[in-house]
Amino acid sequence: MRSHHILNAASNLLGVTFVIITGLHLTTDTRHTFADEIALAAAIALTASCFFSYQSIRGGPNWCEAVADRLFLTAQLMLLAAVTTLWQK
């Protein structure tokens, strides 16, 4: 069962997305990059991943774990895109 690992990693990365968004807003770099919007999309995907992972742990339908896994991977790619847009600034 991967759900425990997905939930732990997704919740940790959710915190990272909040740090990215907050840091960009504090430095007012949001005008020059789309990194905060990309990080927000990643935060939404990670929140959904946490939800489906939790549902899988609680004995929900079998497909919940697969959805959580795919959302987690999508969010990781979004975070990579957010960091890449910051790096190219």
Side-chain angles (χ1 to χ4, degrees), residues 32-48:
H32 307 293
T33 182
F34 289 110
D36 62 327
E37 286 90 356
I38 298 169
L40 178 62
I44 292 168
L46 287 167
T47 302

Side-chain angles (χ1 to χ4, degrees), residues 15-30 36 39:
V16 170
T17 61
F18 291 143
V19 169
I20 291 171
I21 294 167
T22 303
L24 286 171
H25 281 275
L26 287 176
T27 61
T28 65
D29 280 343
T30 57
D36 62 327

